[in-house]
Amino acid sequence: MIPQAIPTLPSIASIVLMNKPMASTAVSGFSIVRSAAYPPLCIVLSRHFFRIRFPSPCATLKLSHSQMFPSNSLTPQFHGGHSTSHVHSLVDYVMDELQAMRSMRRVRPTKRVECASSPELLEVKQAKRSLQKGCLLEFRKDTQKLLLAVAQKPDGKKNWIVCDQNGVMSSIKPQQVTYIVTGFESFDHRDIPDFLQKAQSLLDPAMLECAWEELLENNRSVTPEELAEVIYGSSEPLESYCAHLLLSENDIYFNQVESKGYLPVYEPRPTIQVEELIHRKNLKEAFNKEVEEFVKLLVSAKASPPCSKPSKCSWLKEEKCRQWMTSLEAYAIDACKNDEQKKTAGNILKGMGLSKTSSNAVNLLIDVGYFPVHVNLDLLKFNIITEQREEVLLDAENLLTTSTDVDEGIRKDLSSLKVYAIDVDEADELDDALSAVKLPDGKIKVWIHVADPAYLVEPRSIIDREAMRRGTSIFLPTATFPMFPEKLAMEGMSLLQGKLCKAVSVSVTLHQDGSIADYTICNSIIRPTYMLTYESASELLHLGLEEEAELRILSEAASLRLQWRRNQGAIDTTMIEPRVKVPNPDDPEPLINLYVEDQSDPAMRLVSEMMILCGEVVATFGSAHNIPLPYRGQPQSSISAFAFAHLPEGPVRSSAYVRIMRAAEMDFKKPIRHGILGIPGYVQFTSPIRRYIDLLAHYQIKSFLRGESMPFSSGELEGIQCLVNLHVKVAKKLQSSSLRYWLLEYFRRQPRERKFGALILRFIKDRTASLLLIEVGIQVCASVSAGKQIGDEIEIIIEEAHPRDDVLSVREA
């Protein structure tokens, strides 16, 4: 026996309809039939138009509809845009009536109708929500995507095969199901698009706010079906799903407290929490609007021709714009300082229609003119200091104008000597030069003159600490970042042709076998005679001009020293090395000047031998006088050099030697043997303008020559060396990556059919060999044809060269 229908309460949306001529409501069973003529629910529910209050609830559910709702009690009275009504909370009646009606469905009709408790209601609802064939469900495809689907059949013990709204069949886990739409026994997946379209037409988030206010006052939790009764006047499948969408997609007014058997339960958030969430939402919307405007600027700049793109400084003028561009820059080099910066960059990339990758950020910054086409990303990633601080520059200016030479009384005048300074043609900091004479007894005496920055810079001064912080000058194909302020280095420290220059001179007399017969170290004054490149020095040696006899004597001394070191176990590791200079790096297609330097070249060999000789003498001098110095050594390899005697002399044998070399070692009290160089001790001394470790040695030696105590103990030297070594490693990595980038850019520009000569250095595996490209000086790997041996020369062709991605692919021609 079916109980007599109890008139249902009107929904929030249908209340207004009672007073509209074209709107009609009809009670049939337990649902309200709503006419399509009523206005949008967002207008109906807006608090700016009216607010409804009901009188106190009746104690019993047996009151008639007319008793509960007098004909005039639901008519809102408008006064200047506001409404007044003396009625009680609608939600109380709707919720109580809903529970009563559901209770009547479950029990036999009796004289007394009781309302089922909330837990009992949940149990009934959960029983109806189970995965079964033909049911309509919502499931999570991935973290961002939800789809509607129809269950087709079980897939194993727990999983189900479903057909989604796109007609795609897939297997899902029960955990992926977010909601089951009850009321359908056998839903056709082809009807899902129509179902979704109808649902979208009913969605209005404004309804949720009104429902939240009422439910919050009554401290009530709701399921989607219960909310559907409140705002739509029906818990039919379509309305229930709409209520589910409103609750699940809105994270302001309601919070999901539990979900049992695919039945989510939501509670209204406290007012203070809602206000905070709305505030955050407004801030986010304002931010998104600003991002949209910024994206428009980026799109405009991207579309502009190269000559019309905004410069980097113009992007940084306005504070907000600067924040966004720096966020993009940080994202491009994987150096975001916080999540907010990362999120900002991601939003900008998303606004530009780009995926959130560092490479896309780099390309975008290039496209809008913020980065040059060939931007050095490693320079940014390593946070290299490219500019000198203002206080350092001021102190440098002061030194140039007011400094005095504390070593003037002990400085030896060597200005009468012919002095050769030999370096690369682009060298800015000239810190070493050479002289030589032949003594009456046939011995050779050489001088290694080293620039004397320590006469200007005192230990622990502002400029000294800045130099220590940098550790070394950085030489890139596109720029040089000096350790000292440029003006100070060029005008006050470097050796200049024809000018009287202060130096520390190491003089050495050699035995006929190349060993050291005698040596001295002194502060000096010299006048460099010639500034030669390696190429011009080699040409002069080849010509053998009588007037350049001193240069020939230097070459003879270098040969004696090389032979002596080899007799002491030295290993020859000379290679072919590339050098690149790019004078206009900001141009889209800059000029690339490539130089290939053969370290066995006579002029390069000459300079190298004299620098090694100087290092040995300084180590010997320090040992003799117990001077704490950064003594450098390198243990001999356990593998004898004779094991490689069968390999061709030159790059092939040198590369084999390099692979067995052991790591360098340091001592700060006494010399240690340098097995690779074949000398008893070594101190880096010849580049004090470029390397801080060399400057430390100058501080120590010069203090001894003055008769003063050492500025640094061995322990202090060790601590400083550890700190400086960190900066030096970064600088070397930067120099290496920058050189490789421009070499790959050089290859990228070459014609595809061009062939390069390559030398087989070794075989890595099977026919895969390590090759040295003789014309460029870079090593690559490629498969070579059968029959080729180590030391053979072959021709290769460049297949791919992508400098930004560090990709170089070659094959045998």
Side-chain angles (χ1 to χ4, degrees), residues 376 379 384-388 424-430 470 472-487 489-490 579-583 585 689-690 734-735 738:
N376 191 332
L379 194 64
I384 299 298
I385 305 168
T386 58
E387 301 292 336
Q388 295 280 359
V424 296
D425 54 356
E426 304 90 1
D428 297 321
E429 305 164 347
L430 296 173
R470 293 170 180 266
T472 180
S473 294
I474 299 176
F475 301 96
L476 304 180
T478 54
T480 297
F481 304 110
M483 185 174 73
F484 288 112
E486 186 175 1
K487 188 175 182 181
M490 292 296 297
R579 182 167 57 87
V580 172
K581 294 302 291 184
V582 182
I689 306 177
R690 309 181 189 188
L734 174 62
Q735 289 168 174
S738 300

Side-chain angles (χ1 to χ4, degrees), residues 176 245 308 357 433 519 640:
Q176 292 178 257
L245 290 179
S308 303
T357 63
Y519 67 86
S640 171

Side-chain angles (χ1 to χ4, degrees), residues 5-46:
I6 296 178
T8 46
L9 295 174
S11 69
I12 292 177
S14 63
I15 292 172
V16 175
L17 307 184
M18 298 178 180
N19 293 288
K20 294 193 68 69
M22 295 182 66
S24 63
T25 59
V27 178
S28 175
F30 298 100
S31 65
I32 296 177
V33 178
R34 298 176 306 285
S35 167
Y38 64 74
L41 300 182
C42 60
I43 298 177
V44 173
L45 294 177
S46 175

